Amino acid sequence: MHCPRRPAMPNTLAQRLHVDYPIFLAPMAGEAAKAPLVAAVSNAGGLGVLGAGYMSPDRLLATIAEIRSLTSRPFGVNLFVMAPGERSSAGVDTMRQALARYHAELGIAPPTLPASLEENYEAQMEAVLSAGVAAFSFTFGVPSAQHIDALKAGGVCVMGTATTVDEAIELERHGVDAVVAQGAEAGGHRGTFLTDDFQGAMIGTMALVPQVADAVRLPVVAAGGIADRRGVRAALALGASAVSVGTAFLSTIESGVSDAYKLTLTGPASRHTGVTRVFSGRPARGVRNRFMDEMRAFEVSAPAYPVANALTRDMRAAASRQGRPEFLSLWAGQSAPLSRNCSVAQLMEELREGLSQSDLPLTREAR
């Protein structure tokens, strides 16, 4: 059934970003990081965000140019904040031996550790600064004061990921413009950065968002478990100024993920997600599959990110080509069972139905 398009509601963060609706595409790196999806969300009145953590500076700039060819609306870029330096080789040989049988099953060469484990974060940041995007968000840490100052001087809205109140306060101290409160329900990598105990930072969105809204004097973007009008309405009622939606967009027509990925999200397997380190070396939530279950012994001993991520890269790429979801990192949140096959415009229409005057964020001043 067609729903009439609602007029945009007053919202300071949306106004700052010059978007019609406070509905953001969650940044999803890797297979999902494609220009058509980002542009489609922006064209529908939200804020498309490119998850560029795995992109080289040249590819990042080329993708930004492609997005601009598809939309004249604002969009953002997200990066992983990675400290430079030597990467530990602990656990590499053992994990390579464990991966060998999966490579053999997929008919690809035995696993090797590539010479280059990750993209150069400083070069990625220079590319973002030169591109002049509307928004920049980040996860895994905090950019340098010089980078934050340069972004803000260029008129970029800077948003950082927090999984705890302490992290939100730390982000405010570093001068960000908004805090993305990532609840435990969220798909993909956990953004925890103040502690190595990610389990202690697994706070549900419903509990986290109002605490963060009370703790900082910044707009809060709710992330995790939001996939339809009900989630949007709940997040705004809890004090969020905007919502960040990821998993629900993965099964849309414009999404660039594989058919095997989309079929998993819209099937019964999506009811079973878990947080794992075995694909990348950092805790991330995805649909449980054979690889996660059989590699459970490596949850503690897997090499740290980005080493494990580099080790499993060839396996994941081959699995995507061959339509083998049992070997894919099927990042998805706990709202995955709400996924449906539709266009971005149709999903945005559904999400917009959660916006109403009574659901605007309840700020301190309004209490």
Side-chain angles (χ1 to χ4, degrees):
M1 183 174 68
H2 177 73
C3 298
R5 183 168 176 138
R6 287 181 179 273
M9 296 296 179
N11 180 289
T12 55
L13 184 56
Q15 290 170 346
R16 161 75 190 272
L17 290 163
H18 303 289
V19 298
D20 295 335
Y21 306 102
I23 299 169
F24 303 166
L25 172 66
M28 296 176 286
E31 189 180 5
K34 302 288 197 321
L37 178 58
V38 176
V41 174
S42 290
N43 282 332
L47 181 75
V49 182
L50 176 68
Y54 301 137
M55 291 185 174
S56 68
D58 287 345
R59 184 177 164 218
L60 172 52
L61 290 173
T63 306
I64 288 173
E66 184 182 357
I67 295 169
R68 286 189 166 132
S69 74
L70 298 171
T71 183
S72 60
R73 304 301 303 272
F75 62 91
V77 172
N78 174 276
L79 289 179
F80 302 149
V81 179
M82 300 296 296
E86 293 286 329
R87 302 305 186 193
S88 172
S89 61
V92 169
D93 289 341
T94 304
M95 190 164 184
R96 282 177 57 195
Q97 293 170 13
L99 290 172
R101 66 180 177 125
Y102 301 117
H103 279 235
E105 186 172 337
L106 289 164
I108 59 176
T112 58
L113 189 64
S116 177
L117 301 179
E118 61 192 311
E119 298 300 331
N120 185 303
Y121 164 70
E122 292 293 330
Q124 288 176 319
M125 181 61 78
E126 289 303 315
V128 171
L129 287 167
S130 71
V133 295
F136 173 74
S137 64
F138 56 87
T139 191
F140 295 176
V142 185
S144 67
Q146 291 81 2
H147 283 155
I148 291 177
D149 289 345
L151 288 161
K152 295 180 73 169
V156 180
C157 181
V158 180
M159 300 182 283
T161 305
T163 62
T164 66
V165 170
D166 289 342
E167 288 177 346
I169 292 170
E170 183 72 1
L171 291 173
E172 183 176 46
R173 190 177 69 81
H174 279 84
V176 303
D177 297 304
V179 173
V180 180
Q182 185 193 39
E185 301 95 323
H189 285 98
R190 304 296 301 153
T192 304
F193 65 91
L194 282 184
T195 176
D196 292 331
D197 175 25
F198 87 90
Q199 290 284 5
M202 292 288 283
I203 305 167
T205 304
M206 182 169 285
L208 181 63
V209 169
Q211 291 181 61
V212 171
D214 283 354
V216 300
R217 294 187 175 275
L218 295 171
V220 176
V221 182
I226 301 166
D228 60 16
R229 69 186 72 186
R230 295 168 295 183
V232 173
R233 189 175 298 120
L236 298 185
L238 292 169
S241 294
V243 298
S244 180
V245 180
T247 304
F249 281 108
L250 287 176
S251 60
T252 59
I253 296 167
E254 293 88 345
S255 168
V257 302
S258 66
D259 289 342
Y261 199 157
K262 290 184 180 182
L263 285 170
T264 301
L265 291 175
T266 55
S270 65
R271 295 195 290 267
H272 309 287
T273 68
V275 178
T276 183
R277 291 182 65 250
V278 297
F279 279 108
S280 73
R282 283 191 70 100
R285 183 180 293 283
V287 178
R288 298 207 67 89
N289 59 8
R290 176 183 158 193
F291 185 77
M292 285 175 64
D293 291 338
E294 293 182 356
M295 292 287 286
R296 196 170 297 173
F298 285 83
E299 289 295 350
V300 175
S301 61
Y305 183 94
V307 177
N309 192 64
L311 275 174
T312 64
R313 188 178 298 147
D314 288 345
M315 178 194 71
R316 290 179 282 116
S320 181
R321 291 192 301 268
Q322 297 178 28
R324 302 285 297 274
E326 64 267 39
F327 301 127
L328 291 175
S329 50
L330 300 165
W331 300 145
Q334 290 180 331
S335 64
L338 299 174
S339 299
R340 59 194 179 102
N341 296 123
C342 63
S343 68
V344 164
Q346 288 171 321
L347 177 56
M348 283 291 291
E349 187 175 85
E350 162 66 25
L351 296 169
R352 287 198 306 266
E353 285 299 304
L355 303 172
S356 70
Q357 189 67 42
S358 62
D359 296 325
L360 292 177
L362 184 61
T363 62
R364 284 190 182 86
E365 292 74 18
R367 290 174 184 160

